[in-house]
Amino acid sequence: MSQIRILPSNCIGCGTCVQLCPFEALSLVDAQAYVDHDRCVVCGSCVPVCPADAIVDDSMPDGFRPGDSMDDWSMPDEPGIKSNEASFSGICVYAEHADGALVPSVAEVIGAARQLTEGTGLPVSAVLIGSEVGHLTGELLELGVDEVWLVDSPKLRLYAEDAEARCMSELLAELKPAIVLGSGTRRGRSIFPRVAARLNTGLCADCISLSLDMETGNLVVTRPAYGGSIVAKIIIPHQRPQMATIKEHVFRPASKVSVPNGIVRDMSSQIRVSKSVLEILEVVKGRADPANLLQADTIVAVGRGIKKAENLPLIYEFAEAIGASVGATRAAVDLGWIHPSHQIGQTGSIVKPRVYFACGISGALQHTVGMEEAETIIAINSDPNAPIFDLATYGIVGDLFEVIPAFIETLKAEKQQMMM
Ligand SMILES: Cc1cc2nc3c(=O)[nH]c(=O)nc-3n(C[C@H](O)[C@H](O)[C@H](O)COP(=O)(O)OP(=O)(O)OC[C@H]3O[C@@H](n4cnc5c(N)ncnc54)[C@H](O)[C@@H]3O)c2cc1C
């Protein structure tokens, strides 16, 4: 693993690094900076503050100086991390959890991993890191995981991405999976790049399909690129582990196995858990899915065609009448008409409702990738050539301000008739 080193010929014993080290890992001994490696977490914050360029992070190439661009350097092989060594094997999934429970997308990531390893004999493991999380191991084993790699420490009570990323990097460096998969949740997006950087390996984010090249061991990932206008296939041929996050709600969740026969490997005493540079003052809980799109059976989605925010109550009235949630295009969100949590599409939620009403939505690719899996799509658009009609099960060419009130009136009349 990388280390912070002092270059004695450069050190002027000024003590700047000693004052600034957040982990109190530096001190002056005989007018020279000294690193206590038991305390140092290799956060690297001392490297740029040294006025004499006397501190180096071993993970940087020789001669690398603060301010240099990494583009000018080719990274050396880090022992045990880079290359196609056979010692890297199996697939490891990141077992994200919150409030004492696994987040739902963990089952999707395990589902993707199990699909990849089917018939190959390759093991699927799960990294479970946190404080008092041992009770989650059973659920992971039930989802068909062969090994749970557990690091349980009171230092990880509140999620701090830097400390968790350091811990996960050490664990992966120790246990050497060939592939590491996580979900493209906020946490996945924050921790995976950190871990990939620490392990000096490649990461592909927000994948929508995965396959395994059995000859090379390469993971072949598919993801939209250039705003969804192309679909790229990407491999990470030279580095291990290969890391990827998968887009939520795209992969089928793993089903429970009838007889779990995996094991738990408690690595808590072998993996160093360091302090975070973050001081978490307060945790304010938001609602994970305020728009309730992900579970919705029916969605009424609005686009720029509603003209202004003041017209939204009509959409909410219709949604309420049919028990639907309200979604939106990015155009409606960007115009400030509706909260971003309602956005559907490439940069919003991916939804799979039974019925999807697209009201005043043109049908741009970046929107349709988020709703094309709906069972029935009903599009209302005044432009008969709107691309949304190519996708729609039923298309209504008309003004939504006439069509939707007509729907509402019909529903009201039917309700009244049923009550009579
Ligand atoms: C990198 C990137 C990521 C993106 N991510 C997303 C994303 O996640 N989600 C997303 O939605 N977009 C996304 N977009 C934006 C996307 O490209 C489109 O611009 C957007 O989806 C268009 O929204 P819209 O259909 O509401 O607006 P428009 O394209 O302007 O369409 C409005 C439609 O309303 C119709 N209309 C107007 N008046 C009426 C009326 N009275 N009655 C009926 N119909 C009417 C018009 O005929 C038109 O078809 C992204 C773009 C980029 C570049």
Side-chain angles (χ1 to χ4, degrees):
M1 295 299 291
S2 62
Q3 274 196 343
I4 293 295
R5 272 193 305 126
I6 307 296
L7 303 176
S9 52
N10 285 19
C11 180
I12 52 173
C14 66
T16 310
C17 56
V18 177
Q19 284 168 29
L20 291 174
C21 174
F23 299 99
E24 296 171 7
L26 286 154
S27 54
L28 284 183
V29 176
D30 295 336
Q32 286 267 293
Y34 166 80
V35 187
D36 177 346
H37 291 292
D38 285 338
R39 284 174 174 258
C40 177
V41 298
V42 201
C43 69
S45 51
C46 53
V47 177
V49 300
C50 176
D53 286 348
I55 307 178
V56 288
D57 176 346
D58 263 356
S59 63
M60 295 295 143
D62 274 352
F64 185 89
R65 289 278 167 259
D68 285 356
S69 162
M70 282 305 296
D71 296 342
D72 301 334
W73 297 88
S74 64
M75 292 292 279
D77 275 10
E78 201 170 328
I81 299 295
K82 214 170 161 182
S83 92
N84 255 328
E85 282 176 48
S87 54
F88 290 84
S89 78
I91 302 184
C92 168
V93 304
Y94 173 57
E96 181 178 338
H97 55 88
D99 298 329
L102 294 174
V103 302
S105 57
V106 170
E108 293 169 18
V109 188
I110 296 174
R114 279 180 50 192
Q115 210 180 323
L116 277 177
T117 54
E118 210 175 309
T120 64
L122 291 170
V124 174
S125 46
V127 162
L128 178 61
I129 296 171
S131 170
E132 296 180 19
V133 288
H135 63 287
L136 300 176
T137 55
E139 205 179 325
L140 290 166
L141 297 174
E142 278 179 7
L143 289 169
V145 159
D146 299 298
E147 276 193 11
V148 179
W149 301 340
L150 173 69
V151 179
D152 200 311
S153 162
K155 285 190 195 154
L156 298 164
R157 194 174 63 77
L158 292 175
Y159 172 73
E161 51 209 356
D162 57 338
E164 188 149 334
R166 275 195 294 271
C167 176
M168 183 163 157
S169 313
E170 288 208 16
L171 193 62
L172 297 178
E174 179 75 22
L175 297 173
K176 295 190 170 64
I179 295 168
V180 184
L181 297 179
S183 184
T185 54
R186 281 213 175 82
R187 189 176 289 191
R189 284 173 198 208
S190 91
I191 195 166
F192 267 59
R194 290 163 192 268
V195 173
R198 296 189 80 82
L199 297 181
N200 188 22
T201 191
L203 163 67
C204 186
D206 275 343
C207 308
I208 53 170
S209 148
L210 302 170
S211 63
L212 203 53
D213 179 338
M214 289 307 290
E215 213 167 282
T216 58
N218 285 338
L219 175 71
V220 183
V221 305
T222 308
R223 74 177 311 280
Y226 296 110
S229 50
I230 61 160
V231 173
K233 278 191 191 294
I234 300 171
I235 55 169
I236 302 165
H238 303 302
Q239 268 103 342
R240 294 292 182 266
Q242 307 156 84
M243 296 187 67
T245 58
I246 63 172
K247 200 150 176 70
E248 282 182 278
H249 313 293
V250 171
F251 290 82
R252 189 167 299 153
S255 47
K256 289 194 176 175
V257 293
S258 44
V259 186
N261 55 10
I263 58 162
V264 177
R265 223 167 139 178
D266 191 345
M267 304 289 290
S268 309
S269 58
Q270 290 163 61
I271 300 297
R272 189 174 47 151
V273 179
S274 55
K275 237 170 52 182
S276 167
V277 289
L278 308 171
E279 190 188 347
I280 297 165
L281 301 177
E282 191 187 358
V283 177
V284 181
K285 289 202 176 135
R287 282 186 296 151
D289 177 22
N292 192 28
L293 292 173
L294 304 180
Q295 275 79 40
D297 188 56
T298 308
I299 292 175
V300 176
V302 289
R304 208 194 306 259
I306 63 152
K307 316 277 191 231
K308 52 185 175 178
E310 287 71 21
N311 291 328
L312 262 180
L314 174 69
I315 300 297
Y316 273 98
E317 189 184 350
F318 177 45
E320 203 181 320
I322 58 170
S325 297
V326 173
T329 63
R330 177 157 150 185
V333 169
D334 285 352
L335 286 159
W337 296 344
I338 191 162
H339 190 268
S341 61
H342 294 262
Q343 187 176 316
I344 290 166
Q346 186 187 322
T347 41
S349 297
I350 306 273
V351 296
K352 285 184 191 170
R354 215 165 43 78
V355 186
Y356 190 90
F357 284 88
C359 310
I361 291 175
S362 60
L365 183 71
Q366 293 88 355
H367 181 74
T368 57
V369 291
M371 45 65 77
E372 63 196 352
E373 297 277 309
E375 251 173 67
T376 302
I377 298 169
I378 302 165
I380 307 163
N381 198 305
S382 50
D383 174 5
N385 298 316
I388 192 74
F389 288 131
D390 297 337
L391 200 65
T393 325
Y394 302 103
I396 302 169
V397 179
D399 184 341
L400 70 89
F401 298 106
E402 291 171 12
V403 177
I404 292 178
F407 274 162
I408 295 170
E409 282 312 308
T410 310
L411 286 165
K412 274 185 189 161
E414 276 189 7
K415 206 171 170 186
Q416 258 177 357
Q417 229 171 16
M418 279 165 64
M419 280 164 43
M420 278 179 7

